Amino acid sequence: MNEETVEAVREAVRAIPPGETSTYGEIARQLGLSSPRIVGRILSDDGHDIPWHRVLRADGTAAPHIAVEQAARLRAEGILLVDGRLPREHRRR
């Protein structure tokens, strides 16, 4: 992955305001990337210092390996997951 793509993803995630979320797919579309997996890979490798927790799967869930920490961080910002999922009425359309 080139550095420009990494920085573009990092900037897109930084731009998500506290109390709001986005999805891997929304960020990929916004940046013209071929797959949401690219966003996930970048956040996994180089996202520890940005608000990675504001990025969810398309169905409003967190990836299982980060779900507990992600839910806690979102809760601290006023976003409550219900049964591990962002309620549909709070998801972007």
Side-chain angles (χ1 to χ4, degrees):
M1 215 152 325
N2 67 47
E3 190 62 32
E4 291 166 359
T5 300
V6 171
E7 284 309 310
V9 168
R10 287 175 51 81
E11 186 57 37
V13 172
R14 273 192 217 98
I16 304 167
E20 293 188 24
T21 63
S22 188
T23 67
Y24 298 103
E26 288 171 344
I27 293 170
R29 278 189 298 280
Q30 172 187 340
L31 299 176
L33 302 176
S34 61
S35 171
R37 290 177 184 247
I38 295 169
V39 176
R41 169 55 66 193
I42 290 169
L43 292 181
S44 175
D45 291 346
D46 193 27
H48 65 280
D49 62 335
I50 57 175
W52 59 266
H53 59 281
R54 297 179 188 147
V55 183
L56 297 166
R57 293 172 163 180
D59 66 357
T61 62
H65 67 287
I66 59 171
V68 172
E69 183 177 357
Q70 189 166 22
R73 287 178 181 230
L74 289 171
R75 189 176 324 107
E77 294 185 0
I79 299 171
L80 300 178
L81 302 183
V82 177
D83 294 326
R85 184 183 310 268
L86 185 67
R88 186 171 300 281
E89 63 269 15
H90 296 290
R91 292 186 222 157
R92 293 181 185 186
R93 296 192 187 343

PDB file of all heavy atoms in Angstrom, residues 15-37:
ATOM      1  N   ALA A  15     -11.280  12.776  10.476  1.00  0.00           N
ATOM      2  CA  ALA A  15     -12.348  13.737  10.190  1.00  0.00           C
ATOM      3  C   ALA A  15     -13.717  13.316  10.742  1.00  0.00           C
ATOM      4  O   ALA A  15     -14.651  14.118  10.736  1.00  0.00           O
ATOM      5  CB  ALA A  15     -12.453  13.964   8.681  1.00  0.00           C
ATOM      6  N   ILE A  16     -13.846  12.089  11.215  1.00  0.00           N
ATOM      7  CA  ILE A  16     -15.119  11.642  11.789  1.00  0.00           C
ATOM      8  C   ILE A  16     -15.258  12.303  13.160  1.00  0.00           C
ATOM      9  O   ILE A  16     -14.430  12.071  14.038  1.00  0.00           O
ATOM     10  CB  ILE A  16     -15.173  10.104  11.931  1.00  0.00           C
ATOM     11  CG1 ILE A  16     -14.928   9.418  10.586  1.00  0.00           C
ATOM     12  CG2 ILE A  16     -16.521   9.682  12.529  1.00  0.00           C
ATOM     13  CD1 ILE A  16     -14.654   7.924  10.707  1.00  0.00           C
ATOM     14  N   PRO A  17     -16.276  13.124  13.352  1.00  0.00           N
ATOM     15  CA  PRO A  17     -16.408  13.838  14.626  1.00  0.00           C
ATOM     16  C   PRO A  17     -16.728  12.893  15.789  1.00  0.00           C
ATOM     17  O   PRO A  17     -17.354  11.842  15.587  1.00  0.00           O
ATOM     18  CB  PRO A  17     -17.589  14.790  14.391  1.00  0.00           C
ATOM     19  CG  PRO A  17     -17.825  14.798  12.929  1.00  0.00           C
ATOM     20  CD  PRO A  17     -17.307  13.501  12.397  1.00  0.00           C
ATOM     21  N   PRO A  18     -16.334  13.275  16.987  1.00  0.00           N
ATOM     22  CA  PRO A  18     -16.727  12.500  18.164  1.00  0.00           C
ATOM     23  C   PRO A  18     -18.247  12.358  18.201  1.00  0.00           C
ATOM     24  O   PRO A  18     -18.977  13.295  17.869  1.00  0.00           O
ATOM     25  CB  PRO A  18     -16.235  13.351  19.340  1.00  0.00           C
ATOM     26  CG  PRO A  18     -15.133  14.178  18.769  1.00  0.00           C
ATOM     27  CD  PRO A  18     -15.532  14.449  17.350  1.00  0.00           C
ATOM     28  N   GLY A  19     -18.704  11.183  18.574  1.00  0.00           N
ATOM     29  CA  GLY A  19     -20.136  10.943  18.639  1.00  0.00           C
ATOM     30  C   GLY A  19     -20.757  10.518  17.320  1.00  0.00           C
ATOM     31  O   GLY A  19     -21.959  10.329  17.231  1.00  0.00           O
ATOM     32  N   GLU A  20     -19.940  10.367  16.282  1.00  0.00           N
ATOM     33  CA  GLU A  20     -20.424   9.910  14.984  1.00  0.00           C
ATOM     34  C   GLU A  20     -19.604   8.703  14.540  1.00  0.00           C
ATOM     35  O   GLU A  20     -18.515   8.467  15.056  1.00  0.00           O
ATOM     36  CB  GLU A  20     -20.328  11.017  13.938  1.00  0.00           C
ATOM     37  CG  GLU A  20     -21.269  12.166  14.225  1.00  0.00           C
ATOM     38  CD  GLU A  20     -21.321  13.176  13.090  1.00  0.00           C
ATOM     39  OE1 GLU A  20     -21.014  12.806  11.936  1.00  0.00           O
ATOM     40  OE2 GLU A  20     -21.658  14.325  13.370  1.00  0.00           O
ATOM     41  N   THR A  21     -20.128   7.973  13.584  1.00  0.00           N
ATOM     42  CA  THR A  21     -19.427   6.811  13.048  1.00  0.00           C
ATOM     43  C   THR A  21     -19.436   6.836  11.528  1.00  0.00           C
ATOM     44  O   THR A  21     -20.185   7.592  10.911  1.00  0.00           O
ATOM     45  CB  THR A  21     -20.076   5.481  13.513  1.00  0.00           C
ATOM     46  OG1 THR A  21     -21.413   5.411  13.009  1.00  0.00           O
ATOM     47  CG2 THR A  21     -20.060   5.347  15.025  1.00  0.00           C
ATOM     48  N   SER A  22     -18.617   5.985  10.958  1.00  0.00           N
ATOM     49  CA  SER A  22     -18.602   5.743   9.520  1.00  0.00           C
ATOM     50  C   SER A  22     -18.400   4.242   9.351  1.00  0.00           C
ATOM     51  O   SER A  22     -18.331   3.508  10.340  1.00  0.00           O
ATOM     52  CB  SER A  22     -17.466   6.524   8.850  1.00  0.00           C
ATOM     53  OG  SER A  22     -17.570   6.431   7.440  1.00  0.00           O
ATOM     54  N   THR A  23     -18.310   3.792   8.123  1.00  0.00           N
ATOM     55  CA  THR A  23     -18.024   2.383   7.865  1.00  0.00           C
ATOM     56  C   THR A  23     -16.775   2.278   7.000  1.00  0.00           C
ATOM     57  O   THR A  23     -16.367   3.239   6.343  1.00  0.00           O
ATOM     58  CB  THR A  23     -19.187   1.678   7.134  1.00  0.00           C
ATOM     59  OG1 THR A  23     -19.308   2.224   5.815  1.00  0.00           O
ATOM     60  CG2 THR A  23     -20.498   1.803   7.899  1.00  0.00           C
ATOM     61  N   TYR A  24     -16.208   1.092   7.008  1.00  0.00           N
ATOM     62  CA  TYR A  24     -15.049   0.831   6.148  1.00  0.00           C
ATOM     63  C   TYR A  24     -15.417   1.117   4.691  1.00  0.00           C
ATOM     64  O   TYR A  24     -14.649   1.723   3.954  1.00  0.00           O
ATOM     65  CB  TYR A  24     -14.584  -0.617   6.285  1.00  0.00           C
ATOM     66  CG  TYR A  24     -14.137  -0.977   7.675  1.00  0.00           C
ATOM     67  CD1 TYR A  24     -14.957  -1.714   8.528  1.00  0.00           C
ATOM     68  CD2 TYR A  24     -12.889  -0.588   8.151  1.00  0.00           C
ATOM     69  CE1 TYR A  24     -14.550  -2.051   9.807  1.00  0.00           C
ATOM     70  CE2 TYR A  24     -12.472  -0.916   9.433  1.00  0.00           C
ATOM     71  CZ  TYR A  24     -13.307  -1.648  10.254  1.00  0.00           C
ATOM     72  OH  TYR A  24     -12.905  -1.975  11.527  1.00  0.00           O
ATOM     73  N   GLY A  25     -16.630   0.701   4.306  1.00  0.00           N
ATOM     74  CA  GLY A  25     -17.074   0.902   2.931  1.00  0.00           C
ATOM     75  C   GLY A  25     -17.276   2.348   2.560  1.00  0.00           C
ATOM     76  O   GLY A  25     -16.942   2.774   1.453  1.00  0.00           O
ATOM     77  N   GLU A  26     -17.847   3.129   3.487  1.00  0.00           N
ATOM     78  CA  GLU A  26     -18.042   4.559   3.209  1.00  0.00           C
ATOM     79  C   GLU A  26     -16.713   5.260   2.984  1.00  0.00           C
ATOM     80  O   GLU A  26     -16.576   6.077   2.077  1.00  0.00           O
ATOM     81  CB  GLU A  26     -18.778   5.235   4.373  1.00  0.00           C
ATOM     82  CG  GLU A  26     -20.233   4.871   4.469  1.00  0.00           C
ATOM     83  CD  GLU A  26     -20.886   5.376   5.750  1.00  0.00           C
ATOM     84  OE1 GLU A  26     -20.179   5.739   6.711  1.00  0.00           O
ATOM     85  OE2 GLU A  26     -22.128   5.397   5.785  1.00  0.00           O
ATOM     86  N   ILE A  27     -15.739   4.923   3.807  1.00  0.00           N
ATOM     87  CA  ILE A  27     -14.421   5.547   3.653  1.00  0.00           C
ATOM     88  C   ILE A  27     -13.783   5.107   2.348  1.00  0.00           C
ATOM     89  O   ILE A  27     -13.217   5.924   1.613  1.00  0.00           O
ATOM     90  CB  ILE A  27     -13.528   5.233   4.870  1.00  0.00           C
ATOM     91  CG1 ILE A  27     -14.107   5.932   6.107  1.00  0.00           C
ATOM     92  CG2 ILE A  27     -12.087   5.668   4.616  1.00  0.00           C
ATOM     93  CD1 ILE A  27     -13.476   5.533   7.411  1.00  0.00           C
ATOM     94  N   ALA A  28     -13.892   3.824   2.016  1.00  0.00           N
ATOM     95  CA  ALA A  28     -13.326   3.327   0.756  1.00  0.00           C
ATOM     96  C   ALA A  28     -13.968   4.048  -0.441  1.00  0.00           C
ATOM     97  O   ALA A  28     -13.266   4.496  -1.353  1.00  0.00           O
ATOM     98  CB  ALA A  28     -13.518   1.817   0.639  1.00  0.00           C
ATOM     99  N   ARG A  29     -15.281   4.188  -0.431  1.00  0.00           N
ATOM    100  CA  ARG A  29     -15.978   4.891  -1.530  1.00  0.00           C
ATOM    101  C   ARG A  29     -15.544   6.345  -1.599  1.00  0.00           C
ATOM    102  O   ARG A  29     -15.278   6.874  -2.682  1.00  0.00           O
ATOM    103  CB  ARG A  29     -17.498   4.805  -1.351  1.00  0.00           C
ATOM    104  CG  ARG A  29     -18.095   3.520  -1.849  1.00  0.00           C
ATOM    105  CD  ARG A  29     -19.617   3.558  -1.861  1.00  0.00           C
ATOM    106  NE  ARG A  29     -20.206   3.750  -0.543  1.00  0.00           N
ATOM    107  CZ  ARG A  29     -20.370   2.796   0.364  1.00  0.00           C
ATOM    108  NH1 ARG A  29     -19.967   1.562   0.095  1.00  0.00           N
ATOM    109  NH2 ARG A  29     -20.918   3.050   1.528  1.00  0.00           N
ATOM    110  N   GLN A  30     -15.488   6.993  -0.461  1.00  0.00           N
ATOM    111  CA  GLN A  30     -15.092   8.407  -0.401  1.00  0.00           C
ATOM    112  C   GLN A  30     -13.716   8.622  -1.025  1.00  0.00           C
ATOM    113  O   GLN A  30     -13.480   9.634  -1.687  1.00  0.00           O
ATOM    114  CB  GLN A  30     -15.082   8.837   1.066  1.00  0.00           C
ATOM    115  CG  GLN A  30     -14.533  10.198   1.347  1.00  0.00           C
ATOM    116  CD  GLN A  30     -14.414  10.445   2.860  1.00  0.00           C
ATOM    117  OE1 GLN A  30     -15.053   9.789   3.682  1.00  0.00           O
ATOM    118  NE2 GLN A  30     -13.592  11.388   3.224  1.00  0.00           N
ATOM    119  N   LEU A  31     -12.819   7.663  -0.823  1.00  0.00           N
ATOM    120  CA  LEU A  31     -11.450   7.813  -1.307  1.00  0.00           C
ATOM    121  C   LEU A  31     -11.199   7.124  -2.648  1.00  0.00           C
ATOM    122  O   LEU A  31     -10.090   7.170  -3.169  1.00  0.00           O
ATOM    123  CB  LEU A  31     -10.471   7.261  -0.257  1.00  0.00           C
ATOM    124  CG  LEU A  31     -10.527   7.965   1.104  1.00  0.00           C
ATOM    125  CD1 LEU A  31      -9.601   7.271   2.085  1.00  0.00           C
ATOM    126  CD2 LEU A  31     -10.177   9.443   0.959  1.00  0.00           C
ATOM    127  N   GLY A  32     -12.219   6.468  -3.199  1.00  0.00           N
ATOM    128  CA  GLY A  32     -12.059   5.776  -4.471  1.00  0.00           C
ATOM    129  C   GLY A  32     -11.223   4.515  -4.371  1.00  0.00           C
ATOM    130  O   GLY A  32     -10.589   4.110  -5.351  1.00  0.00           O
ATOM    131  N   LEU A  33     -11.247   3.873  -3.217  1.00  0.00           N
ATOM    132  CA  LEU A  33     -10.493   2.631  -3.040  1.00  0.00           C
ATOM    133  C   LEU A  33     -11.316   1.453  -3.528  1.00  0.00           C
ATOM    134  O   LEU A  33     -12.547   1.484  -3.496  1.00  0.00           O
ATOM    135  CB  LEU A  33     -10.121   2.446  -1.562  1.00  0.00           C
ATOM    136  CG  LEU A  33      -9.290   3.574  -0.948  1.00  0.00           C
ATOM    137  CD1 LEU A  33      -9.066   3.323   0.539  1.00  0.00           C
ATOM    138  CD2 LEU A  33      -7.964   3.716  -1.674  1.00  0.00           C
ATOM    139  N   SER A  34     -10.647   0.410  -3.935  1.00  0.00           N
ATOM    140  CA  SER A  34     -11.332  -0.731  -4.529  1.00  0.00           C
ATOM    141  C   SER A  34     -12.042  -1.626  -3.527  1.00  0.00           C
ATOM    142  O   SER A  34     -12.917  -2.399  -3.908  1.00  0.00           O
ATOM    143  CB  SER A  34     -10.339  -1.574  -5.332  1.00  0.00           C
ATOM    144  OG  SER A  34      -9.310  -2.060  -4.485  1.00  0.00           O
ATOM    145  N   SER A  35     -11.691  -1.537  -2.236  1.00  0.00           N
ATOM    146  CA  SER A  35     -12.277  -2.443  -1.254  1.00  0.00           C
ATOM    147  C   SER A  35     -12.242  -1.844   0.149  1.00  0.00           C
ATOM    148  O   SER A  35     -11.251  -1.207   0.532  1.00  0.00           O
ATOM    149  CB  SER A  35     -11.499  -3.763  -1.243  1.00  0.00           C
ATOM    150  OG  SER A  35     -11.904  -4.586  -0.178  1.00  0.00           O
ATOM    151  N   PRO A  36     -13.291  -2.090   0.934  1.00  0.00           N
ATOM    152  CA  PRO A  36     -13.279  -1.676   2.335  1.00  0.00           C
ATOM    153  C   PRO A  36     -12.165  -2.362   3.130  1.00  0.00           C
ATOM    154  O   PRO A  36     -11.707  -1.846   4.140  1.00  0.00           O
ATOM    155  CB  PRO A  36     -14.650  -2.107   2.860  1.00  0.00           C
ATOM    156  CG  PRO A  36     -15.500  -2.266   1.667  1.00  0.00           C
ATOM    157  CD  PRO A  36     -14.581  -2.658   0.550  1.00  0.00           C
ATOM    158  N   ARG A  37     -11.729  -3.504   2.658  1.00  0.00           N
ATOM    159  CA  ARG A  37     -10.661  -4.235   3.352  1.00  0.00           C
ATOM    160  C   ARG A  37      -9.363  -3.437   3.396  1.00  0.00           C
ATOM    161  O   ARG A  37      -8.567  -3.592   4.311  1.00  0.00           O
ATOM    162  CB  ARG A  37     -10.428  -5.589   2.695  1.00  0.00           C
ATOM    163  CG  ARG A  37     -11.590  -6.526   2.932  1.00  0.00           C
ATOM    164  CD  ARG A  37     -11.375  -7.851   2.219  1.00  0.00           C
ATOM    165  NE  ARG A  37     -12.529  -8.681   2.373  1.00  0.00           N
ATOM    166  CZ  ARG A  37     -12.553  -9.801   3.066  1.00  0.00           C
ATOM    167  NH1 ARG A  37     -11.469 -10.230   3.664  1.00  0.00           N
ATOM    168  NH2 ARG A  37     -13.653 -10.507   3.152  1.00  0.00           N
TER     169      ARG A  37
END
